[in-house]
Amino acid sequence: MEQEDEGREYEGEAKEYPTPKSSSIFEDTTRALTQSEAGECLHTLGKCDSGLGYAYLGLNASNKGLTDIRIIPMFKYVLYVNVSGNRLTTEALNVLSSMKYLLMLQADKNQVSSAELEPLPYLQVLTLNKNKLTSTSGISHRLLECLELNHNNIQEVTLNPYDLENLKTLELRGNILTSTNGIFFPGLTRLYLAENQIEKLEGLEILVNLKILHLRSNKISNLDGFDARCGKLNYLNLRNNEMSKISELEKLSCLSALETLIILENPIVGDIEEDEEVAYRRIVLAMLPHLIRLDKNPVLYQERRDAKEFHRQMLRDGTTFADLDVDPINTG
C-alpha cells in the first residue's frame, strides 16, 4: 500500500472525484433520498453485529444531487456510507450522527462548510475533500485513523490531538496552509500537504512515528524544521518548492531512516543535463549517504562509492557544502 501511495503522489496525480450528473432540476430544489432509492444503493452483504443474520453493510448514494439523506440512518446495519458528489450541507450530513456503528463516511464534493460533526464513536475513515471548509475545528472521533480534507480553503490546522488519538493518516492537499504548525499527532504515520502555500516547517519534532511526508508544490526555501526526533521518516517529497541552496539538504542528515527523497523542480536542480545530474546526485549522496532512491531513480552502488570519495576529498580540501551553493554542479 505504501508503494502505491508514494508512486501516486510522486507523479502528482490527484485523486479523481466523479463529477455529479448535472440537472437543472437539482439546482434550485431540495432533493431527498427516498427509501426505495436508498435500498438500491445498498451493497456488500455481511453478518450483522449480532452474528445471527446477514445485512447490507455499505450504502453508496453518490452523485445524485441530494440535499436530504435523513433516510439513511434507517438502515441500522450499514457501516460504510458514500454520499460524495451531492449538495449536502453540514446540517444535512449531521443526520448520520445517529449511526453509532458507522466505520467509514465519504462526503467529498458537497457543500459542507464545517467539519464539526457529532462524534461517531467507531468512525475510522472520514473524507471531506472538495467541500467549503475553512477550518479543521470540531472534528472529534476517537477511533478515526484516516482524515482527508483535501482541496478546501483551510488556512491553519486546529485539530485537537486528544479528540483524535488514533489518527494515522492526514491529508490536507490543495488548501492555503502557510505552516506545518498545529499537527500535534505523535501517532501519525502519513502526512500529505502538497499544493499549499507552506513556507515554514514547524512542529515536525512531535511527529515521531511519521514515515511518509508529502510537501510537493509549496513555497519552502529552507529545511530548518526537520528534527532527529522524526526518526522513522523514510519518504520525503519536496518537489516543486523554492530551495535555491543545495546545502539546505544537509539539514536532512538528522533523519536517520530517510531512504527516498524527491527534490525535482527546485531552483537547486533546474533543467540540468545528464552529465550535470551525475554531479548533482553525487553532492546529495555525499550529504545523505543512506538514500536508496533520489528523484526518479534508485541509487546505484557506483554512485554511492563516488559520493563517498567526493566527500572524503571535500574533507581533505576543507570544503563545506555551503561552499557549493554558488555553483554546485561545476564544483561537483
Side-chain angles (χ1 to χ4, degrees):
M1 286 297 294
E2 288 186 9
Q3 292 300 321
E4 291 178 4
D5 285 345
E6 291 169 12
R8 170 168 57 82
E9 178 64 13
Y10 172 73
E11 296 299 334
E13 296 175 3
K15 290 184 179 178
E16 293 294 331
Y17 306 101
T19 302
K21 298 176 181 178
S22 61
S23 171
S24 58
I25 297 175
F26 293 160
E27 290 177 1
D28 300 311
T29 62
T30 59
R31 170 78 165 88
L33 183 68
T34 66
Q35 185 170 356
S36 61
E37 285 178 318
E40 295 173 357
C41 296
L42 295 170
H43 63 86
T44 311
L45 194 65
K47 281 191 175 183
C48 303
D49 55 354
S50 65
L52 301 177
Y54 289 85
Y56 286 104
L57 305 181
L59 188 150
N60 186 343
S62 58
N63 302 324
K64 295 181 179 295
L66 300 172
T67 60
D68 185 339
I69 55 172
R70 69 185 71 186
I71 195 69
I72 292 180
M74 290 184 59
F75 299 88
K76 62 180 182 178
Y77 295 113
V78 166
L79 304 178
Y80 312 98
V81 170
N82 185 348
V83 289
S84 299
N86 287 294
R87 295 183 291 138
L88 301 173
T89 62
T90 306
E91 182 180 4
L93 197 60
N94 247 325
V95 301
L96 302 181
S97 61
S98 62
M99 302 179 73
K100 299 302 182 184
Y101 297 104
L102 197 64
L103 299 180
M104 176 185 289
L105 173 56
Q106 296 170 273
D108 306 321
K109 294 192 74 172
N110 277 285
Q111 297 178 16
V112 178
S113 58
S114 170
E116 193 167 350
L117 306 174
E118 291 294 322
L120 290 162
Y122 297 102
L123 191 68
Q124 296 177 21
V125 177
L126 174 62
T127 74
L128 292 168
N129 303 306
K130 292 192 174 182
N131 274 280
K132 297 182 177 181
L133 302 178
T134 58
S135 170
T136 62
S137 297
I139 301 176
S140 179
H141 310 288
R142 292 284 180 170
L143 295 184
L144 195 69
E145 294 187 6
C146 177
L147 176 61
E148 297 183 14
L149 303 173
N150 300 311
H151 302 289
N152 282 283
N153 290 297
I154 298 167
Q155 298 183 41
E156 62 177 337
V157 181
T158 53
L159 296 168
N160 187 336
Y162 298 105
D163 291 335
L164 297 167
E165 295 176 345
N166 286 311
L167 195 64
K168 298 292 188 295
T169 300
L170 177 60
E171 299 197 17
L172 284 159
R173 295 183 181 94
N175 283 282
I176 48 177
L177 301 174
T178 58
S179 168
T180 57
N181 195 30
I183 303 174
F184 305 126
F185 298 97
L188 203 67
T189 59
R190 299 183 180 200
L191 179 57
Y192 300 87
L193 298 174
E195 300 174 46
N196 278 278
Q197 299 175 23
I198 295 172
E199 298 177 353
K200 294 183 179 181
L201 300 173
E202 301 174 287
L204 297 181
E205 68 278 1
I206 296 171
L207 307 179
V208 294
N209 286 295
L210 194 66
K211 296 180 179 180
I212 297 173
L213 176 57
H214 291 254
L215 289 164
R216 178 176 178 166
S217 299
N218 279 286
K219 297 182 177 181
I220 299 167
S221 60
N222 70 75
L223 302 177
D224 291 339
F226 286 98
D227 189 278
R229 283 168 284 187
C230 300
K232 295 184 180 180
L233 186 63
N234 60 40
Y235 181 95
L236 176 60
N237 191 329
L238 290 165
R239 185 172 184 167
N240 189 26
N241 274 278
E242 299 180 1
M243 289 182 293
S244 59
K245 296 182 178 180
I246 200 165
S247 62
E248 284 296 318
L249 298 176
E250 190 176 11
K251 296 173 183 177
L252 301 179
S253 61
C254 65
L255 304 175
S256 58
L258 187 63
E259 295 181 345
T260 299
L261 176 64
I262 314 297
I263 49 176
L264 292 171
E265 298 177 35
N266 276 275
I268 56 174
V269 181
D271 298 322
I272 57 177
E273 302 294 333
E274 185 175 347
D275 58 334
E276 294 175 327
E277 183 181 1
V278 172
Y280 144 74
R281 288 174 66 88
R282 184 187 302 130
I283 296 170
V284 176
L285 292 173
M287 296 182 199
L288 306 170
H290 300 299
L291 289 180
I292 293 176
R293 173 185 163 198
L294 175 59
D295 296 329
K296 296 179 181 179
N297 301 314
V299 175
L300 303 178
Y301 173 74
Q302 188 60 47
E303 283 187 300
R304 200 178 301 281
R305 287 190 60 181
D306 291 346
K308 189 174 183 180
E309 179 55 36
F310 175 70
H311 194 207
R312 286 174 179 163
Q313 187 62 48
M314 286 182 63
L315 294 175
R316 288 194 291 267
D317 297 342
T319 304
T320 67
F321 289 112
D323 296 329
L324 307 183
D325 285 336
V326 178
D327 191 358
I329 302 302
N330 290 330
T331 306

